[in-house]
């Protein structure tokens, strides 16, 4: 499958009390990848929510990605996104198989992306590009880095970090395939606005 389009990432606090309704509204607007991101230690709830998302994603033909938890991804037969503290990517590729989508956080470093590509990543994620609620302390990424990455990597490139409809266009112009969005998508007042934003992000990417 071609990895291009909106990459929606859940946030448990932001979506408290409206989790599934807002996620479904985003899927209605078109989402290429949906990442379940929950940093809590409540494993039973995480399994329950991940299963609900998997069922929703199947209905909308969207790929579900689990953040940082290869074992949960294997249990649900879905993809995973790994940070730099999650160890090498190769064992996860062996665990999930050759067809699973595995993404890798590469911060603002091309060398990390090149290493991830060697180890079998499906896409690489650079960021943050703008001020981010989710990762306020992350180093800032430049548009120049995207140009270098586009020339040297033969993988889909994801941008993350404070992305909104107002600032996303330059990222697309510099070759980004996936726009990873949290607050810029789910920080909406109602489900109709979530759907509208999802469609507008895809319009920027001409998906």
């Amino acid at each position: 499958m071609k990895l291009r389009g909106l990459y929606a990432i859940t946030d448990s606090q932001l979506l408290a009390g409206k989790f599934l309704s807002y996620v479904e509204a985003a899927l209605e607007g078109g989402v290429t990848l949906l990442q379940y991101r929950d940093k809590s230690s409540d494993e039973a709830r995480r399994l329950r929510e991940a299963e609900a998302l998997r069922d929703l994603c199947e209905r909308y033909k969207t790929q579900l990605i689990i953040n940082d938890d290869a074992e949960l991804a294997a249990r649900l037969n879905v993809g995973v996104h790994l940070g730099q503290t999650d160890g090498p990517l190769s064992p996860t590729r062996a665990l999930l198989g050759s067809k699973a989508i595995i993404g890798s956080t590469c911060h603002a470093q091309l060398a990390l992306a090149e290493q991830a590509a060697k180890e079998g990543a499906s896409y690489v994620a650079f960021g943050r590009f703008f001020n981010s609620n989710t990762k306020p302390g992350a180093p800032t990424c430049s548009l120049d880095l995207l140009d270098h990455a586009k020339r040297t990597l033969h993988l889909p490139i994801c941008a993350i970090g404070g992305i909104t409809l107002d600032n996303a266009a330059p990222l697309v112009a510099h070759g980004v395939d996936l726009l990873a969005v949290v607050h810029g998508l789910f920080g909406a007042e109602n489900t109709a606005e979530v759907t509208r934003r999802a469609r507008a992000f895809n319009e920027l990417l001409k998906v």
Side-chain angles (χ1 to χ4, degrees), residues 119-174:
E119 292 184 15
S122 311
Y123 68 86
V124 291
F126 293 111
R128 65 184 169 101
F129 284 90
F130 309 103
N131 289 330
S132 163
N133 291 314
T134 312
K135 294 203 171 176
T140 309
C141 227
S142 70
L143 293 174
D144 286 349
L145 178 77
L146 292 177
D147 296 335
H148 288 304
K150 204 71 192 164
R151 282 197 298 272
T152 57
L153 298 169
H154 302 290
L155 280 180
I157 293 169
C158 171
I160 189 167
I163 297 170
T164 66
L165 285 167
D166 294 331
N167 63 26
L171 300 173
V172 178
H174 285 264

Side-chain angles (χ1 to χ4, degrees), residues 1-84:
M1 102 171 245
K2 191 170 164 61
L3 293 181
R4 184 173 177 82
L6 174 61
Y7 188 169
I9 300 179
T10 68
D11 178 304
S12 304
Q13 288 173 306
L14 183 64
L15 293 172
K18 52 194 181 186
F19 188 74
L20 287 179
S21 63
Y22 267 48
V23 169
E24 184 159 14
L27 295 176
E28 191 70 45
V31 172
T32 299
L33 298 177
L34 173 73
Q35 183 185 125
Y36 176 53
R37 185 176 188 272
D38 183 290
K39 296 293 190 183
S40 76
S41 55
D42 185 344
E43 289 189 15
R45 180 175 59 77
R46 289 176 70 244
L47 175 61
R48 198 167 59 245
E49 289 183 347
E51 284 176 334
L53 291 182
R54 180 192 58 188
D55 296 345
L56 258 185
C57 284
E58 281 175 2
R59 233 172 54 225
Y60 284 90
K61 301 202 169 17
T62 296
Q63 299 284 338
L64 177 63
I65 307 291
I66 306 290
N67 179 268
D68 286 354
D69 191 338
E71 285 176 18
L72 180 56
R75 185 167 175 178
L76 297 182
N77 197 26
V78 297
V80 72
H81 183 88
L82 300 175
Q84 284 302 316

Side-chain angles (χ1 to χ4, degrees), residues 2-8 25-33 62 165 168 172 176-179 181 185 194-207:
K2 191 170 164 61
L3 293 181
R4 184 173 177 82
L6 174 61
Y7 188 169
L27 295 176
E28 191 70 45
V31 172
T32 299
L33 298 177
T62 296
L165 285 167
V172 178
V176 162
D177 302 285
L178 292 158
L179 291 169
V181 188
L185 175 65
V194 174
T195 303
R196 185 198 73 78
R197 290 183 186 185
R199 289 194 176 121
F201 276 114
N202 280 320
E203 188 62 34
L204 283 172
L205 286 153
K206 302 286 187 281
V207 175

